[in-house]
Amino acid sequence: LKGALIIDRAQLKENLFSEVFQKQMRSYTAYSFDTRDDMQCDIAVKTRHPVRVQTPFLQTDARIDLHIRNTIRDPQVVGSVQLTGGQLHFPYRPLYITQGALHFMPGKLDDPLIELEAKNTIKKNVIRLHVSGSLHNHHVSL
């Protein structure tokens, strides 16, 4: 399976890394491909217009530039998802995203590297959030 997938317009309302969303995506793949026979793949995935992301915790637009290689059963994903502005919803006031990205590395499909910075002024205090590391081994500073 070889080709390019260009996402023209899309909206995401679920956390990509939630267990429910992952199971749902696997079920779609199972219906699309007979996974008893593995298949080589070489697929580029890019966005023409940013994907609108709106979850209970996050509102942003995301640009995707990924490459999927290897096989359908064992995909190797390389590339990034760049967040272009937006906000993290916090109880008192939102924190505005100044920088955000997920970087996918071979063999770590479910554990991308995270770079996220968000800030806001709350009662004359500048609040900054910085998240770095990977999804499973991250460091958060506030």
Side-chain angles (χ1 to χ4, degrees):
L1 180 63
K2 185 174 185 174
L5 175 62
I6 308 297
I7 301 170
D8 189 27
R9 296 192 193 281
Q11 184 172 11
L12 179 66
K13 292 186 176 187
E14 291 285 336
N15 176 347
L16 283 176
F17 300 104
S18 74
E19 192 172 321
V20 172
F21 186 79
Q22 292 291 321
K23 284 181 182 178
Q24 193 174 32
M25 290 305 292
R26 284 188 201 104
S27 73
Y28 294 149
T29 304
Y31 292 127
S32 301
F33 302 104
D34 182 357
T35 56
R36 290 173 293 175
D37 297 323
D38 211 358
M39 182 185 317
Q40 291 291 319
C41 63
D42 183 5
I43 304 167
V45 180
K46 296 184 183 227
T47 51
R48 181 170 298 172
H49 301 285
V51 172
R52 185 79 183 133
V53 179
Q54 193 151 4
T55 71
F57 182 67
L58 172 68
Q59 179 181 341
T60 189
D61 290 331
R63 294 194 176 277
I64 300 169
D65 186 4
L66 299 173
H67 204 109
I68 305 167
R69 290 193 174 113
N70 204 29
T71 66
I72 295 295
R73 280 194 212 158
D74 184 27
Q76 300 294 314
V77 178
V78 177
S80 64
V81 175
Q82 299 287 328
L83 305 183
T84 56
Q87 60 187 334
L88 302 172
H89 302 288
F90 273 74
Y92 182 69
R93 284 213 170 148
L95 295 181
Y96 298 102
I97 298 170
T98 57
Q99 175 183 326
L102 296 173
H103 300 282
F104 291 87
M105 310 303 265
K108 298 185 179 234
L109 177 60
D110 65 340
D111 194 25
L113 297 176
I114 300 170
E115 295 177 48
L116 178 67
E117 289 184 15
K119 69 178 182 175
N120 196 356
T121 302
I122 301 174
K123 294 186 177 182
K124 298 183 182 181
N125 298 300
V126 176
I127 307 298
R128 294 179 196 266
L129 172 73
H130 184 259
V131 182
S132 60
S134 72
L135 184 64
H136 297 300
N137 187 21
H138 54 273
H139 176 73
V140 178
S141 61
L142 188 61

